[in-house]
Amino acid sequence: MNGWLCIAGLGPGDEQLITPEVSAALADATDVVGYIPYVRRIAPREGLTLHASDNRVELDRARAALQMAAAGRKVVVVSSGDPGVFAMAAAVMEALEGEPEWQRLNIRVLPGITAMLAAAAKAGAPLGHDFCAINLSDNLKPAALIEARVRAAAGVDFAMAFYNPRSASRPETFGRILGVLREVCEPGRLMIFARAVSTPEEHIQTVTLAEATTDMADMRTVVIVGNSATRRVGPFVYTPRSAV
Ligand code: SAH
């Protein structure tokens, strides 16, 4: 059986930010599986079948991909950014649980440039000291846990990157998160709203916590909150590497 499965990251948008390893896997593949907007980024070619699906069925999508690989297909499951960051690699691992035959397949996770790192690079070096990444979507965890994690991270002065900050189905979450930040951090704390990084729609805005409003974020935005030492230097924002 020659089938294989790669779970690959397509980076934040710009083709130049796709790794050669991912390009090679795509060039070899017979099937590409993923959420509609990500699959749309793959150029159609003869011998390649594109399977675009809705975002809410990650486990089904992972199982379908594993089934195809088990049947001898060469399958790439695509995610934006990095496949291990709030994306398909964990969904495929979950689908492997209790499936010893699938566990013996040729499976590789191919990293990509995640949104927060692409955004940080555009801004300067806001993640130059300790930081954490928090998914603000409450699809897979309770809203109270998200707020508790933001409060705890801000309390020990982590810089933070927020993924999925705001969606039409839960417009109030991000407002509550701003409220938590305003309780814990000083009003001058720097925040970067980085939208559609490395695409033609890219928009990057640095504001203070006092100036931040909920409408600065949408589902194409990653939000970086600096730590208490994060500052501006010329056109850049950076966080010094030392905490003393
Ligand atoms: N696996 C992806 C994250 C998927 S979650 C990664 O590693 O980047 C989807 C969230 O990622 C979006 O809501 C947004 O917060 C962020 N995101 C993805 N691409 C982005 C881009 N080009 N610019 C800004 N944020 C992006």
Side-chain angles (χ1 to χ4, degrees):
M1 213 161 42
N2 299 319
W4 50 254
L5 179 70
C6 284
I7 311 139
L10 298 177
D14 185 347
E15 273 195 28
Q16 290 197 79
L17 300 181
I18 299 177
T19 68
E21 182 181 48
V22 169
S23 300
L26 288 167
D28 256 10
T30 58
D31 297 85
V32 169
V33 175
Y35 178 39
I36 301 156
Y38 308 153
V39 171
R40 211 178 280 141
R41 288 172 55 187
I42 308 302
R45 62 168 165 78
E46 222 181 287
L48 180 69
T49 309
L50 301 176
H51 308 263
S53 60
D54 184 77
N55 206 18
R56 301 237 162 204
V57 287
E58 288 186 342
L59 201 54
D60 293 351
R61 189 193 297 149
R63 290 198 182 105
L66 285 159
Q67 253 150 19
M68 283 193 273
R73 313 282 300 175
K74 300 170 179 176
V75 186
V76 180
V77 175
V78 289
S79 288
S80 74
D82 180 90
V85 179
F86 311 131
M88 284 302 294
V92 172
M93 299 294 145
E94 195 178 330
L96 287 179
E97 280 182 325
E99 300 284 354
E101 277 182 31
W102 281 352
Q103 290 169 21
R104 284 191 286 273
L105 290 169
N106 176 358
I107 299 173
R108 290 187 302 151
V109 181
L110 310 182
I113 296 176
T114 189
M116 69 178 174
L117 298 185
K122 294 279 174 158
L127 303 179
H129 190 67
D130 297 346
F131 66 91
C132 63
I134 302 177
N135 187 344
L136 298 192
S137 166
D138 59 9
N139 282 344
L140 300 168
K141 63 187 166 189
L145 180 61
I146 302 173
E147 288 184 34
R149 285 187 176 158
V150 170
R151 189 181 297 279
V156 290
D157 208 17
F158 272 128
M160 288 169 272
F162 296 148
Y163 285 73
N164 291 306
R166 192 158 175 256
S167 79
S169 62
R170 42 176 184 84
E172 66 300 330
T173 311
F174 189 58
R176 281 207 305 272
I177 294 300
L178 282 179
V180 170
L181 292 176
R182 287 187 173 121
E183 284 172 39
V184 184
C185 308
E186 70 293 346
R189 180 67 58 100
L190 289 180
M191 296 181 71
I192 299 157
F193 289 83
R195 181 172 193 277
V197 175
S198 90
T199 79
E201 294 87 48
E202 176 178 291
H203 179 68
I204 297 176
Q205 189 178 10
T206 301
V207 300
T208 63
L209 175 56
E211 293 162 341
T213 56
T214 52
D215 60 358
M216 290 176 182
D218 67 7
M219 281 311 274
R220 296 189 72 192
T221 307
V222 65
V223 181
I224 295 177
V225 183
N227 73 13
S228 60
T230 302
R231 47 191 182 253
R232 296 178 193 261
V233 54
F236 299 113
V237 175
Y238 93 107
T239 303
R241 288 185 296 157
S242 128
V244 288

